[in-house]
Every structure is written in C-alpha cells, then in structure tokens.
Amino acid sequence: MTPTSGALRPITPREFLNALYSVWRPANGRSGAVRPLVGLAVSGGADSMALAYLCRCLPQERQDFKAFVVDHRARAGSRREAEVTSAGLRRIGLPSAILRLKWPDGVSPTELSNFETEARRLRYQALGQACHQEGISALLLAHHEDDQAETVLLRLANGHAGSGLQGMRSGAEIPECNGMYGVHMSGGSDLPSRARRLEQIEIEKGGVKIYRPLLRFPKDRLRETCLASSTRWREDPSNADASLTPRNAVRQLLAQGRLPASLQKPSLMDVARRTRERDRARDGHGLRLFKACDILAFDTLVGSATVRMPAISNRVPEEGDLARRSLGEKRRQAMRLLERLVGMVTPVEKVRRESLGVAVAAIWPELALQGEGKGLQSFTVAGVHFTGHPPNAGDSNKGEEARPTFTFVRAPPPRNRPIQPLPITPSTWYKPQFVLWDNRFWISLWSSEASLAEVSFVVRAYAPGDAAPLLSSLPSDERDHLLHLLKTHAKGKSRWTLPAVVAETGGLEEVVALPTLDIYTPRADEWGIQCQVRFRSVGPPEVLRVLEEVQDEQMRRGRGKSRRQMWRRELGLPTRGGR
C-alpha cells in the first residue's frame, strides 16, 4: 500500500543504528570476527516493513539479517499474503523464510475462544525454533511508540500497577518458549559433557532474546520511512475492527483523542518513562544487595545454596528519594533480592514477588508486617525450602555473625502433587535432544545400543521405593560412593527431588541412572546409556558471574579432582579413569 505522504520525516539509517545499538550490540565487534546473524519478525505491515528496510540500510560489516514471515493459517489467503510479504523483502534485498503455524488436527483456529493467546504462543515458538536452527540469538520486533502507549493504557484498564506500567521492555527473553532447548535461556554451554564428571554441573546460558529498537519512534514516522523508500506494505483489515480485540478498541480511542489528557499518549509515555527509571534504580540496588550476599555454597547436583544474607535496613541506595525509604520500600527491595535467590533453585517458572512476604519476615524480622511470623528457621516459598543456621560461635567477626544464614533447596512436593514424570527418547551424542525436567535440569539421554525399541524411558523424581533396588544393583564400591554423595549433597528429603532415569519394559520399571550424581547401574552399562546434564539458567549475566565464581572457588578447594577421585582418595582406594 502506498498512501499519500504526511508531514513527518522518515527515520534515517543513523537514527535507527543509534536506536538499535542502544538495546542490542553485536557480541563480536573485532575486525575480522564472524558477523552475527540477526532475525527479524516481519508481518508485512508498515511497522515491520520499515524495520526490514532500515536493517537493510545498515553497514553489513558488523551484522547480517534474516527475516521470518509467519503464516498463521487462520484464514483463507494467509499463505498468499505471506508469499507476497516474502517477495517484498526480496525486493529490498533481505533474505527471508516463511514459517507456517501448525494447529492441532481438527481445530478451526478462529473459532477458538483464546485464539489470540494460542496464536501468540505458536508464533513465538515457531520464531524461536527458526532462530535456533539458524544460529540466531537476537530477534528484532517492530513494536513502536504507539504500541507502547496502547500497552500502558491496557494495563491501567486491567488494574496493573508498579513495574507493569513501564510497558514493553526494549529487550527480554523470548516468551512462550520455556522448555525449548537452545531457544529459551539455554544452548550456550559449550563444555564437553564429560566435564560434568567434575565437582558441579555446568549452568546453562544462551537462548534467543527479543529486542524492540523502534519503541522511541511513532507509527507515523515508520509509514513515512516506507513511503520515502518506496517500500510496499499491506494493511490488515482486522486491525480496524474495534470490536475484535481490546487492543483494537484502545487504538481507536487513542487515535480519536477523546480520552482525558491523563490518558492520552504523552501522559502514558511519561508514566512508562517514570516507571522504567524507578525500576532501573531499584534493579540496580537489588543487584548491589545480591552482590552483598555471601554465597557460601551453590550445589548444582541437587540445586541448593547456602547464603549469608545482607542487612537490608542498613543498606540504602545512593539515588535521591529512595534514600528515605519506608518499610514498604525496604520490603520491596528484600523481595527483589529473594526473587533472585529463590530463582536460582526454584521449580517455578515465574516467582511472584508478593508470595515472598513470609520469607522476608523470617529472614529480616524488622521488616515483618503484623501477623507475619518473625524469625522462622524453617519455611517454604515458591517450591523452595529454607533452613536457617545458628550463628557461628567461632566466628571472630561479630558483624558477620549477626547476619542470618540460610540453606535453601527445592522442596519435596506434596504427595497429591508429585513432580511430573517426563518421557525421554535416546538421541545421538553429538546431537542431543534435551528435555527440561522440573524446570531445573536439562537432561539428554544417549545409548550405544540400537536394540532398545521395546524399552521406554522417563525422567522422574528419585523415590524412597527406589533406594533398596538401586543400591542392591550396584557393586559395593559404587554403592558406598552413592551413599557418600547422598550424605554430602542431598541430605534428608532433598534427595527425593533428584532426577532419576527409569527404564520401562514389560510393565516393569527400573532406575538405571541418577544423572546429576553420575550414577549408572550395570543395566545402564549393558545398554551403553549415558546422560548429558545441564543446570538451567540462573538469570541475568551478573548473577551467573557471581555463581560461577562460587563454583570456581568450590573447585579450587577440591583441587580440580572429580567427585569420584576425591572420594576414593579419602578412603585410601586407588583412583581410576572416568566411565
């Protein structure tokens, strides 16, 4: 479509480059380094076609681009529309691929009551998988300033407050893709799997992130960019139907200008800006609190940590108004810190900060609200069990002695809500197919035997009924080794949250491996079974660096020996090579 030009000027390549590099930069800026491939999500509308054109205008020595066009297959003609969009991308010199969504058999997409939600989920999963296959870690979206205003108004209408009013983030993990290896916060580990014979399992990183470089530009300037460059786009007629979606209704209300001034675009953008600045200040202080913690141990074999907590009340941020914090502000900062800490080991995909009040009152009694239990030494939040430690009487530093210390680990689930078993299929060693079990461990199974067609495998929680059969199946030295590992790393009920690989054949099941402890039964050896294991991502790079330093220190204390070597040396037994 090529309507008459308006008075606004188009976005220049220099403006776009500055906007892009404010939210994303190539990882390798060195001369001669491999140029990263960056993905674009292109619908064919003016917004995404302007994004495609601007990307094509950038110098190609630092990055290459590839566009992805999603065919939702939700209405007649969608295939043709995707092909026309792809042809338009070829005209401006941008390579593209069409991704056709796969709906369940017998489902008419537009008849679904939650069509928008399902379409969004399938769209992001298709985009994420395509990026992973192409080796792309950054996906650009064409959301702009008007979209941001609509988002803030929608959230106000739905009763949101606080952080939600900053609108869409300029950069984030790709949504709707949890459990997809290499797509969501995973796939960036490149150590050989044999390295997990060492003291700890490596922590995952990587995955696909989305970036929104156009949030500072209004939609009119994107249209002008298409007009000035003779870039064609198509209009989606459904966007003009105010009765179709809440966003369509909000878009028309904002365009008509009949809302109160406090709900017009300038005011909404000011709300988003102030919320974003406040959150940035709080996030900065939260990171300083995290770094003020003494992480005494972080064990990825079971997923546990021991942390000496900072004194929240005595640590005030440097930023002006926040220096005079109320009790509520101190509690919010404590919850942000606990969100990071609990996030290291929780099976919950998204921890709700408001659920952490009991933990705040237990760890920092001075921050407790009326009716909250103060100073509890044992409690569970977000699927994580906390156990307090008494002050170390032998500690000469009395200031450190006064700081609360807790060990926290994934809590055993109640009997009526067990950890769900997860089917796992043997894959090749060099092309592993990872599954995410309990939102904590990425596990891949490999077998050198090709004759296991009648055997099915699942990953489930190690259970009390497994202990006797497993121990009796092991040679005596392996049995002692397992008991030593359980005593050292998985004390008490935490061992019942360990993943176990179970073989099912003829209606019978048998534990053949405890992969995080590197324990394999003779049956596993007979079938040539091995596992690759990764601990799921622990959050932003700053958190990962701290935890990797903790792991490095733990390794230095172990002098780099494998767990089996250290254990056999302790018992005076000769050491032997790895499995």
Side-chain angles (χ1 to χ4, degrees):
M1 185 173 182
T2 55
T4 304
S5 175
L8 288 170
R9 59 188 177 86
I11 301 167
T12 67
R14 172 55 60 182
E15 283 182 292
F16 176 67
L17 183 66
N18 291 338
L20 175 61
Y21 282 2
S22 71
V23 300
W24 170 86
R25 276 186 176 273
N28 295 320
R30 304 182 306 275
S31 176
V34 176
R35 295 195 303 270
L37 183 60
V38 180
L40 311 178
V42 179
S43 66
D47 312 336
S48 58
M49 292 303 290
L51 174 65
Y53 167 75
L54 290 166
C55 287
R56 187 66 184 88
C57 290
L58 297 185
Q60 299 299 300
E61 65 268 14
R62 296 198 69 181
Q63 66 277 308
D64 290 323
F65 296 96
K66 181 167 183 177
F68 298 105
V69 182
V70 176
D71 173 10
H72 288 80
R73 300 174 63 209
R75 64 172 184 264
S78 66
R79 183 188 187 99
R80 175 60 180 161
E81 290 171 358
E83 291 170 348
V84 169
T85 298
S86 183
L89 292 166
R90 283 197 300 274
R91 280 194 296 271
I92 64 176
L94 203 64
S96 65
I98 297 176
L99 310 177
R100 305 192 190 282
L101 298 191
K102 296 181 180 179
W103 296 88
D105 292 339
V107 170
S108 177
T110 54
E111 293 180 2
L112 294 173
S113 60
N114 60 341
F115 166 69
E116 277 192 282
T117 301
E118 282 300 296
R120 180 181 190 271
R121 180 181 65 84
L122 292 176
R123 179 170 63 250
Y124 273 120
Q125 289 181 357
L127 288 166
Q129 191 61 42
C131 286
H132 175 53
Q133 292 172 351
E134 295 279 354
I136 291 171
S137 61
L139 176 67
L140 305 186
L141 306 182
H143 295 118
H144 48 74
E145 189 179 74
D146 295 55
D147 291 327
Q148 187 74 294
E150 294 166 11
T151 298
V152 175
L153 184 53
L154 279 168
R155 291 182 179 177
L156 281 170
N158 289 324
H160 286 266
S163 299
L165 296 184
Q166 67 180 285
M168 295 177 286
R169 295 180 181 271
S170 58
E173 302 293 340
I174 189 168
E176 307 290 353
C177 294
N178 189 49
M180 297 176 64
Y181 187 77
V183 178
H184 188 257
M185 302 177 73
S186 57
S189 298
D190 54 8
L191 294 177
S193 60
R194 286 299 179 198
R196 72 141 275 30
R197 261 269 183 213
L198 299 178
E199 182 66 16
Q200 292 294 320
I201 299 169
E202 61 186 300
I203 302 169
E204 266 295 354
K205 50 186 177 291
V208 180
K209 293 180 174 58
I210 58 173
Y211 298 94
R212 299 180 174 98
L214 300 179
L215 286 178
R216 64 175 65 174
F217 302 109
K219 184 179 183 68
D220 287 344
R221 290 197 65 190
L222 300 180
R223 286 175 173 266
E224 286 300 315
T225 301
C226 288
L227 291 170
S229 61
S230 299
T231 299
R232 297 180 180 179
W233 75 89
R234 63 176 179 82
E235 294 286 358
D236 184 348
S238 66
N239 288 338
D241 186 352
S243 66
L244 193 61
T245 68
R247 183 172 288 274
N248 284 4
V250 162
R251 185 181 301 121
Q252 289 201 16
L253 285 172
L254 287 171
Q256 293 166 359
R258 291 191 292 183
L259 290 170
S262 60
L263 296 178
Q264 293 288 354
K265 178 180 167 182
S267 297
L268 296 170
M269 298 307 297
D270 187 56
V271 168
R273 178 189 57 78
R274 287 186 283 109
T275 305
R276 190 162 51 249
E277 290 174 353
R278 184 198 64 197
D279 266 37
R280 189 177 297 122
R282 286 175 171 168
D283 284 343
H285 181 53
L287 181 59
R288 290 194 293 274
L289 282 175
F290 179 80
K291 291 181 177 179
C293 293
D294 288 335
I295 301 179
L296 306 178
F298 180 56
D299 190 339
T300 54
L301 306 185
V302 62
S304 67
T306 300
V307 178
R308 182 180 291 126
M309 304 293 183
I312 297 284
S313 297
N314 296 331
R315 291 185 172 272
V316 295
E318 299 172 359
E319 294 80 5
D321 290 341
L322 287 181
R324 298 182 295 275
R325 290 175 298 164
S326 63
L327 173 63
E329 180 60 33
K330 293 176 183 178
R331 283 177 59 88
R332 282 189 287 271
Q333 290 295 350
M335 287 180 183
R336 282 175 181 260
L337 171 61
L338 285 175
E339 184 182 22
R340 289 182 187 270
L341 294 174
V342 169
M344 290 158 44
V345 300
T346 181
V348 178
E349 182 180 352
K350 177 62 177 175
V351 176
R352 293 168 49 248
R353 285 180 193 161
E354 56 268 27
S355 70
L356 302 176
V358 63
V360 171
I363 298 170
W364 298 281
E366 69 275 14
L367 301 183
L369 299 179
Q370 187 174 4
E372 289 182 334
K374 298 181 180 180
L376 297 176
Q377 293 298 295
S378 180
F379 56 90
T380 298
V381 293
V384 176
H385 185 71
F386 281 71
T387 302
H389 297 276
N392 184 356
D395 193 340
S396 60
N397 188 332
K398 299 303 181 183
E400 294 297 327
E401 184 179 325
R403 291 167 55 186
T405 301
F406 283 82
T407 292
F408 45 98
V409 63
R410 200 266 194 247
R415 290 186 178 182
N416 61 343
R417 285 185 293 157
I419 302 173
Q420 290 301 306
L422 194 63
I424 186 169
T425 303
S427 56
T428 61
W429 189 259
Y430 295 102
K431 289 186 178 180
Q433 300 294 318
F434 283 92
V435 297
L436 180 60
W437 182 78
D438 197 36
N439 205 44
R440 294 183 296 143
F441 296 103
W442 291 101
I443 302 174
S444 175
L445 180 66
W446 175 80
S447 173
S448 61
E449 289 292 321
S451 58
L452 294 179
E454 297 182 359
V455 182
S456 60
F457 296 91
V458 297
V459 183
R460 63 160 172 78
Y462 182 53
D466 297 326
L470 176 60
L471 289 170
S472 65
S473 73
L474 297 173
S476 60
D477 63 335
E478 295 279 323
R479 187 185 312 127
D480 293 340
H481 178 52
L482 172 57
L483 292 173
H484 175 77
L485 289 175
L486 292 174
K487 181 180 178 180
T488 304
H489 297 278
K491 299 175 182 178
K493 294 182 179 180
S494 67
R495 65 188 55 182
W496 312 130
T497 68
L498 290 170
V501 176
V502 177
E504 297 179 341
T505 178
L508 302 176
E509 66 174 34
E510 174 186 358
V511 174
V512 294
L514 298 180
T516 65
L517 300 184
D518 209 22
I519 293 293
Y520 296 87
T521 66
R523 179 64 59 88
D525 288 338
E526 175 189 338
W527 288 341
I529 288 175
Q530 286 285 294
C531 295
Q532 297 187 61
V533 187
R534 310 278 191 267
F535 195 77
R536 65 114 165 92
S537 173
V538 293
E542 298 87 351
V543 175
L544 177 61
R545 281 195 292 269
V546 171
L547 296 182
E548 286 181 334
E549 289 173 2
V550 172
Q551 286 194 313
D552 288 344
E553 177 58 30
Q554 291 174 167
M555 286 297 296
R556 281 193 292 270
R557 290 201 297 266
R559 297 181 296 281
K561 297 181 177 63
S562 74
R563 298 194 306 280
R564 187 181 302 277
Q565 286 173 326
M566 289 189 287
W567 171 75
R568 294 182 69 86
R569 189 179 297 277
E570 287 172 8
L571 297 183
L573 300 174
T575 58
R576 57 176 178 165
R579 188 186 306 273

